[in-house]
Every structure is written in C-alpha cells, then in structure tokens.
Amino acid sequence: MDVKDLCLGALTYGDATGYDLKKFFENAFGHCFLAGYGSIYPALAELTAEKLVTARRVPGQAGPSRKLYHLTTAGRRQFLAQLETVEPQHKVKSEFLVLVHFSHLLPPQRLNEVLDRHLQEIEQKLALMEACEPRKARGTLPSAGARFAFGFGKAMMTAAREYIRTHRHSLISGGNGTNPSQKPTRLRKVAQAVSRNRGYPNA
Amino acid sequence: MDVKDLCLGALTYGDATGYDLKKFFENAFGHCFLAGYGSIYPALAELTAEKLVTARRVPGQAGPSRKLYHLTTAGRRQFLAQLETVEPQHKVKSEFLVLVHFSHLLPPQRLNEVLDRHLQEIEQKLALMEACEPRKARGTLPSAGARFAFGFGKAMMTAAREYIRTHRHSLISGGNGTNPSQKPTRLRKVAQAVSRNRGYPNA
DNA sequence: AGATCCATGTAAGGCGTTACATGATTGC
DNA sequence: GCAATCATGTAACGCCTTACATGGATCT
C-alpha cells in the first residue's frame, strides 16, 4: 500500500486536487500514514497514465489553475482489489524510544527536554484530531471505519501520554548522567536470550 | 537517527558481530526500530571506514568465520553527540488502519480476517517481549531506559488490543459490504475542515 | 505591503527493503 | 541426511524526503 493507493482511496470520497488530498491525508490519516506533495503529485501523474484517474483542468475560479482528479471505474475496481489483497502492516519507527532506551547516556536535562517535547507533540496531535473528529466537524466522514481508525489513534496517544506521565520518574531517579559504574552488559548474551524468533523476517 | 547510529548504540553494550546486532535489535527494539542484514552490514562497513568501530576477525571457533565489531572512543563520542542532537521522532505507518478506515468497502469476511490477524500479531509480539523482558531474562539489560522503552511498547500493544476488542463490533454491526446507499462525503470539505495545521511539515 | 494560503510540479538524493549468493555447523 | 542456525555480504530497486522553483489570491 503506497501513496498511489491512498490517493485512490481518498478519491472514493469525491473529486479533489493534489492539494486537497494532502490536507485530507493530514486530517484523516495524520496519525497513521503521512504523504507529502513530493509523493502525491507524481503518484497522481502515474495514476492518470494508468487511467485509474482522470484529470480535469479548472482554470478560472479563485486562485491559481487547479487540476481536479476523478476516480475512474477501473480505479475504483483496482482500489477494492488492493484492499482485499494487501497484507496490512503496522510499523512503528521511534527514535524517541531509542533515545529513551539509552537515557543512561544522556544528560538528565536533555532527557527531560525530550520527554516534555514528546508529551507536547502528543497533546498537539490529540488537539488536532479532536478538532476534525468525524462526528462533529463540518464535512463529516461518517463511516464506522473512519471513526474506528480515529479512535484507535486517540487511544494510542492517550495511552502513550499516560505511560510517560506515570513512568518518567523511574528514568530520573535511578542516578544516571555520566556515571559509568555499572557492570557492563554483554550484548551477545542479550542477543541470544530469546532464540527461535518467529515473527521477524530475515532480509 | 539511522541504522549506523543504532549499531553504535548497541556496541556500547559490548563487542558483537553483525549477526548479533540483528538479534539484539529484534529483542531490544523490535517494537520501535527494525533493521535487516541488508542495512546492518553496509552500516558496519561504513562505520569501520570512518573509524568509529574496529573489526576483528575471529576465524577458529565454532561456526563460520566471524567479525567482531568494537566501538572506538571516537565512535562512542559520536554516538553521545548524536543522542544530544537528533530530534526524536515517533512515526507510525499503518496500512492496517488505512484498511480499517475503508472497511465500508471491504467484504465483512476480509475485515474480520484483518482484525483477527492483527490481534494475533499483537499477541505474538507481546509474548516475545515477555520472553526477553529486561529484568528476568539471562543477559539482563538493567538500565531504567531499557525498561521504560520496553514498558512503553507493551503499554501500546495492550492498549491497541483492548481498543480492537472493545470496538470491533462497531465495524461489523453497521451494515456494510457492497452497499452504496450512503450520501457521498465531499472530500474537499473534509480536507478543509481544519485549516491552519501547525504540526505537519510541507515537503 | 507583507504574510499566509492556495496550487503545482521537478530533481536529486537518501535510506531501507528484497532478493540473491554462499557455506560451515549443529541437532534431530 | 535434512532442517535450522550461524554467518557475511552484494546489488537492484523502490519509495519517500528534501529542496528547489513559481506565482496568483486573500487577509491583516
């Protein structure tokens, strides 16, 4: 599932410009799938070439010349097929957690900054989601799926916030800083602690 | 923060081979930062060229010829500097949530499969984490940071599981399938519902 | 008048993923 | 003997990110 598919999906809700799509992605998928203009416009060009969408120029109007994209029947069919065949992955890439993992190598002040900033970001995103909540916002997205995905995001962020709030003390109390007085952990032991790992592909 | 940095970080725990590093990443960062051999070996080669690590061949021994990597002083210094300067991001890319968002376009059976499989995966990862829990596993990683990062991952997965369990009914009850009887949502309206979006970069 | 929004694109580069290639050793 | 584990690497490809380039319209 790439940006092209996401565009097809978004266009099931109606015609839109590349610019609209970006905004839509921020509102509807901000917590689970971001895409920038640098991905969207090339994606739309390819989709047009594949006849999965059609482009219609809308010159007059307010603002600069726009290009309204429209989902074709083939495009809709392809999207539905895609939905049935992709294996739904859920990946987290968190430099934040890596940093925290190594908090014993961090100056306490920096650690606090990192923690505070992360809490702030969570608060911010939560507020943003609140603002375009499916049920009450104008231009509602009423589908049960949209509500579920939204609620999921909110649940995750709330849980993250709670965890940080209730556990951050454990990071600061355990006298850290530049103190190298711990008996070194052997990496190889840790690596082999759990042998047969089903669940992680090679590559 | 890329795979190179992660390797430096792991090597603060002691010397290791590329193979060990992969295992270590799975155990310690499986829930927040995965890396495959295709990233790790090139990363180690570059780090060696930059003199941030040194490689020592260990020929005899059991198994094939191994290369033990060792963090140099410069490497350690660079890692510490990195920890202080990187901005800690936390990104989620979830095709799962996208799929669920569009559940009204999915056959109910497929939806259930997707949900069940995701629950299964959560359960699996939870079990895996349980197995290499910092406190009780051999080769313990005793740092408060490691415990925090671990607990965070567990909290997220538990929250996800609970959310899916308690809300999945809302996806199935609302008669979906191939029923196109809803008044169409205008995408442009949704896109513009929340205007000034602080928090998402352009690009 | 200046900032911000609307709007569309291109180009290079970065980084990771996937697939391929190889081979010894250990356990069943 | 066969499968799995240990072990190291390469090469191509894919996809996104970042930066650049441009310009009218609206709001303050």
Side-chain angles (χ1 to χ4, degrees), chain A residues 27-39:
Chain A
N27 289 335
F29 300 119
H31 60 294
C32 64
F33 207 122
L34 281 175
Y37 294 123
S39 318

Side-chain angles (χ1 to χ4, degrees), chain B residues 51 77 90 128 160 162 165 168 170 180 186 196 199 202:
Chain B
K51 309 221 170 157
R77 202 167 25 230
H90 183 85
L128 205 60
E162 281 334 291
R165 280 184 184 160
R168 68 181 298 171
S170 73
R186 281 121 336 208
R196 43 205 149 314
N202 273 19

Side-chain angles (χ1 to χ4, degrees), chain A residues 13 20 86 110 185 188 203, chain B residues 13 20 37 86 110 185 188 203:
Chain A
Y13 289 120
D20 294 331
V86 293
R110 160 78 169 158
T185 309
R188 303 203 78 225
Chain B
Y13 288 120
D20 294 329
Y37 294 122
V86 292
R110 160 78 169 157
T185 309
R188 304 203 78 226

